[in-house]
Amino acid sequence: KEPTHGSENVSKHSSQKVTDKKKEDEKPGKPATASSTTSRVSGPAMATATLMAMDRLAGAAALPAEGRPGARNNPIPVEDSATLGKIGRNDSFPMDAYYQQKRSFSHNTSVPVGNDTTPFQGYYDGGCHTISDLKDCLFYELGFGAHVKNLRIANTTIDQPDKQHSAVLACEMSGGSVVSGVRVEHGNVSTRQGGKSAASTAGVITGLQGEQSVLKDIEIVDCSVTTSGHNTYTGAGAGWVDGDIERMTVADSQVTSTGDSASAAIGGGLVTGRIKQLTVVNSQVTTTGKNGNGAIGGGQVGRLHPPANGQVSGLVALNSHVNTTNNLAAAGIGAGFVANEHSEVNGITAIDCSVS
């Protein structure tokens, strides 16, 4: 139960590994068994090949066939909160189907789509409509192949002190998932979870963004993220950025951490992936704990143990401010602390900004 880079600080279930293997097995043209040959195949090898073939067939059967509800050419309409709440909880609303939101509605619930063992692996097109009044993450986890696009989320207040990963859109994003064309406004996330053995993450879009996942064309307006636990990563885009963030704008927002060893940033508290083309306007980052690195960009970019590189590039900050107030707490525009020589920060423009 480790994250992509094998950190000993953030627990992660193994569903992504299982799913990734399943996707690899399902690639078009991949033979179900060994190629025809005169060589004999051992009993265990034949059994393994048979199980792999059965696994592929089971996966294919789970996807709605063309023309059926939930197929690519016939997405399931989502017109209200009740329908959204059926995803993954009703056989007619599977977790790997295609969905199309038809109108804006309030979803005043603290029950996310999916859970820690069953991630959403489908396609959700918000149709540029709005979901409002969330009390917890909209999706518990976006699994391999999931894509959420063209969605607006507004007026959310999320206070889940016991959750390890918290956010507005998705508590976690596994590798191979994508979020694009999403705007979050008037959103507030707060958490007090954290400890020496397991880091916690909090963000607006996602708490923990896995390797090879993507956030692109994101807007965050008038939002705040606050953590008070020890050993936390807090960010506007993601608490921990291990994938890619491309073209994100953050305005009138605040990121705050008050615990020790708690990095915070507009962008990502910890960046072991890449942040490219980030625009930040009228926003603030504040840390008050020991080792509380803060930044517009990445609070900590890269990591020494286990080794991982990070990158922040193409950042423009206007009238934005970083303040750290305790020992061993670095602060900067671009990065607070760059952990190793292979990580990089470049292309930074700051206008009417301050660091203290």
Side-chain angles (χ1 to χ4, degrees):
K1 296 193 175 183
E2 299 292 340
T4 308
H5 280 299
S7 169
E8 294 151 4
N9 290 333
V10 178
S11 64
K12 189 76 169 69
H13 58 71
S14 59
S15 64
Q16 178 184 338
K17 298 179 182 178
V18 174
T19 308
D20 289 352
K21 178 181 183 303
K22 184 175 179 181
K23 293 290 182 181
E24 178 65 24
D25 291 342
E26 291 175 2
K27 284 184 177 179
K30 186 171 182 179
T33 60
S35 58
S36 57
T37 176
T38 55
S39 300
R40 296 188 62 185
V41 180
S42 66
M46 180 62 74
T48 300
T50 302
L51 288 172
M52 291 172 62
M54 292 173 65
D55 182 62
R56 283 195 301 279
L57 290 172
L63 295 171
E66 185 174 354
R68 294 181 62 84
R72 181 190 296 268
N73 63 345
N74 188 20
I76 297 172
V78 179
E79 305 212 23
D80 52 32
S81 176
T83 303
L84 179 61
K86 293 178 181 179
I87 298 177
R89 296 180 174 83
N90 184 300
D91 291 343
S92 298
F93 298 85
M95 295 287 274
D96 54 1
Y98 285 78
Y99 293 90
Q100 172 102 51
Q101 187 169 328
K102 295 297 184 180
R103 64 186 65 183
S104 299
F105 55 80
S106 171
H107 192 57
N108 189 359
T109 177
S110 59
V111 181
V113 174
N115 53 50
D116 58 350
T117 59
T118 310
F120 179 78
Q121 294 178 274
Y123 184 99
Y124 192 95
D125 184 350
C128 295
H129 298 294
T130 300
I131 295 175
S132 58
D133 306 318
L134 291 169
K135 300 302 181 186
D136 200 349
C137 313
L138 177 60
F139 296 93
Y140 190 98
E141 179 179 354
L142 297 180
F144 184 95
H147 190 170
V148 178
K149 61 179 286 189
N150 301 334
L151 180 63
R152 306 293 180 260
I153 304 178
N155 303 323
T156 63
T157 300
I158 297 173
D159 186 3
Q160 299 286 337
D162 297 327
K163 295 192 70 168
Q164 186 178 4
H165 309 297
S166 297
V168 173
L169 180 71
C171 298
E172 307 176 43
M173 289 178 63
S174 295
S177 60
V178 177
V179 173
S180 63
V182 168
R183 175 185 174 97
V184 180
E185 56 187 14
H186 314 311
N188 300 286
V189 179
S190 61
T191 176
R192 293 174 293 280
Q193 176 72 6
K196 295 182 179 181
S197 61
S200 297
T201 66
V204 175
I205 304 300
T206 186
L208 178 62
Q209 183 194 6
E211 185 180 19
Q212 298 182 352
S213 62
V214 176
L215 300 180
K216 60 183 179 180
D217 301 318
I218 303 297
E219 295 181 3
I220 297 171
V221 179
D222 188 25
C223 292
S224 68
V225 187
T226 303
T227 59
S228 58
H230 172 88
N231 195 18
T232 62
Y233 299 122
T234 311
W240 181 346
V241 178
D242 199 23
D244 287 355
I245 295 180
E246 304 173 5
R247 299 183 301 276
M248 182 169 74
T249 299
V250 181
D252 303 312
S253 297
Q254 295 79 41
V255 175
T256 305
S257 69
T258 61
D260 292 341
S261 299
S263 295
I266 302 288
L270 173 63
V271 180
T272 51
R274 295 178 294 181
I275 297 178
K276 299 180 290 184
Q277 299 180 41
L278 170 63
T279 301
V280 181
V281 181
N282 300 332
S283 296
Q284 297 182 356
V285 176
T286 303
T287 71
T288 60
K290 185 177 180 180
N291 291 311
N293 302 316
I296 306 295
Q300 177 178 323
V301 178
R303 187 182 55 198
L304 283 176
H305 304 292
N309 302 327
Q311 180 188 77
V312 176
S313 62
L315 165 65
V316 176
L318 173 64
N319 190 32
S320 295
H321 310 280
V322 181
N323 180 267
T324 63
T325 60
N326 211 316
N327 297 332
L328 303 175
I333 307 289
F337 175 67
V338 181
N340 60 55
E341 62 182 357
H342 300 294
S343 295
E344 61 180 86
V345 177
N346 59 60
I348 309 300
T349 301
I351 302 171
D352 292 334
C353 294
S354 69
V355 174
S356 60

